[in-house]
Amino acid sequence: MNELMIDFFRGKTPKSEAEQLQYLRELLQSLTLFALWRAKFFDQAAFYGGTALRVLYQLDRYSEDLDFSLLKTAEFDFDKFGNTITRELHDWGFDVTFERKIKKSRTQIDPAFIKTNTYMQLLKVEVPENLIRGINRQASLKIKLEVDTIPPPDFNTEMKYVFNPVQFAVRAFTLPSLFAGKMHAVLCRKWKTRIKGRDWYDFTWYVSKYPKLNLKHLESRMRDSGDYNDSEPLSEKKFYKLICQRIEELDIAKAANDVQPFIDNTEVLDIWSKDFFRAAVEKIIFVKE
């Protein structure tokens, strides 16, 4: 195992087996992005979602998946990047497999998975064996990658730079466009019996640090998903009405329970209430990119 990888992992101070797994996941996520950069993937696609916030802007919650969008609608072949990813990770000392899952949804999300044996990879980064004794030796760590091959319009991108564990560049959605994607999830994700509190946590993170929202891209996303069919553009007034309705329907306790495993400081959830989220909405700044 390359000393650079060992040093990266030693810089972490995991307090539990779950944190060790998360740090391993984040290392593999970063090396996967590095492999995609070397393969010129970002000439045709951009990085977005929770892991983009974690890697590029130090979002203080863990994120599991790698989400990408093509810059324009096009045919996409994930397989040619799969070989690059597995070869690159192998060169760094990780034994992984790359698996396609053909699942063409209405929005044409192309999914794939990187899989590896959790226990063996933790040993390779020299985590003491006594600290991982409770981990199932047959368990797999899985990272999901998704590419939106028919992206809704009106988003903007920029090149961002990563310096750890190695130096590379990624094309990513700009923060106002990233915020629009998150508000689409807040407004339109179908809850069923499980509320994704991570959406609401990210929402408060945005308004605290980067409150500018690309309303036009949000409208395009909502029209694309069939959640906004009004003949008039999505105005600030209509947005406020929709988000306030969503807040009124929100089960605060279920939302907090969902996000707890992904954050270190769960005390920040004590302030969560419908009034708190309504106050957060007032912090949004609408921009045209």
Side-chain angles (χ1 to χ4, degrees):
M1 171 60 62
N2 189 291
E3 284 298 321
L4 183 64
M5 299 297 96
I6 296 171
D7 289 343
F8 172 87
F9 210 78
R10 281 177 179 163
K12 309 295 184 181
T13 54
K15 300 176 183 131
S16 66
E17 289 178 359
E19 284 191 1
Q20 292 169 20
L21 296 181
Q22 184 56 42
Y23 292 150
L24 175 61
R25 181 188 301 278
E26 291 186 344
L27 178 54
L28 293 174
Q29 286 172 341
S30 291
L31 292 176
T32 298
L33 292 169
F34 175 66
L36 290 171
W37 169 69
R38 293 191 67 179
K40 301 189 181 304
F41 172 78
F42 296 107
D43 289 350
Q44 61 181 298
F47 190 24
Y48 75 100
T51 306
L53 296 183
R54 177 77 172 170
V55 172
L56 302 177
Y57 297 100
Q58 293 73 56
L59 171 67
D60 57 345
R61 78 158 177 89
Y62 304 129
S63 185
E64 297 177 314
D65 303 334
L66 293 170
D67 298 310
F68 307 98
S69 171
L70 295 185
L71 301 179
K72 59 183 180 180
T73 299
E75 291 294 323
F76 178 75
D77 183 5
F78 226 151
D79 286 330
K80 72 175 184 178
F81 294 103
N83 290 333
T84 299
I85 291 169
T86 54
R87 184 171 60 251
E88 187 71 46
L89 289 176
H90 182 268
D91 288 346
W92 288 100
F94 292 103
D95 298 319
V96 303
T97 59
F98 181 88
E99 299 178 10
R100 288 283 306 278
K101 182 178 180 182
I102 307 301
K103 184 183 177 183
K104 295 292 185 181
S105 65
R106 190 183 61 80
T107 53
Q108 296 294 289
I109 301 298
D110 195 350
F113 297 89
I114 298 168
K115 295 181 180 180
T116 188
N117 179 278
T118 305
Y119 183 83
M120 294 305 298
Q121 303 314 311
L122 286 170
L123 284 181
K124 285 189 176 184
V125 292
E126 296 192 356
V127 174
E129 190 168 1
N130 66 301
L131 296 181
I132 57 176
R133 198 168 289 151
I135 294 176
N136 184 338
R137 299 193 181 199
Q138 303 305 315
S140 293
L141 185 146
K142 182 169 64 175
I143 297 172
K144 187 177 184 180
L145 299 85
E146 290 190 336
V147 176
D148 189 344
T149 62
I150 309 180
D154 304 309
F155 62 87
N156 288 283
T157 68
E158 60 184 340
M159 295 304 296
K160 299 291 293 183
Y161 299 92
V162 180
F163 294 88
N164 188 37
V166 288
Q167 299 169 10
F168 61 95
V170 299
R171 181 178 299 279
F173 278 37
T174 59
L175 281 161
S177 294
L178 282 167
F179 195 6
K182 180 51 60 177
M183 291 313 300
H184 177 252
V186 167
L187 290 171
C188 305
R189 194 186 296 277
K190 303 303 185 284
W191 287 345
K192 295 185 179 180
T193 59
R194 183 183 179 188
I195 297 172
K196 198 164 185 180
R198 283 160 278 178
D199 290 339
W200 293 91
Y201 187 88
D202 293 355
F203 162 53
T204 63
W205 180 87
Y206 273 111
V207 298
S208 298
K209 296 181 179 292
Y210 306 103
K212 294 181 179 180
L213 171 65
N214 180 344
L215 189 63
K216 183 63 177 174
H217 181 51
L218 173 59
E219 178 185 343
S220 295
R221 281 188 170 273
M222 293 179 69
R223 289 190 184 279
D224 182 69
S225 63
D227 293 292
Y228 187 78
N229 300 305
D230 200 306
S231 60
E232 296 295 323
L234 178 64
S235 64
E236 294 178 20
K237 183 177 180 180
K238 289 178 181 178
F239 167 81
Y240 282 126
K241 182 179 180 181
L242 291 171
I243 188 62
C244 286
Q245 286 176 345
R246 197 65 161 171
I247 291 170
E248 191 59 34
E249 299 166 355
L250 179 64
D251 187 317
I252 301 291
K254 286 184 178 180
N257 287 338
D258 173 81
V259 77
Q260 280 184 358
F262 297 90
I263 60 176
D264 293 325
N265 180 18
T266 58
E267 290 182 358
V268 299
L269 305 177
D270 293 343
I271 198 174
W272 278 23
S273 67
K274 293 181 180 180
D275 283 342
F276 170 72
F277 287 119
R278 281 190 283 263
V281 170
E282 297 300 322
K283 300 292 185 183
I284 294 173
I285 300 171
F286 299 96
V287 298
K288 294 180 180 179
E289 290 192 296

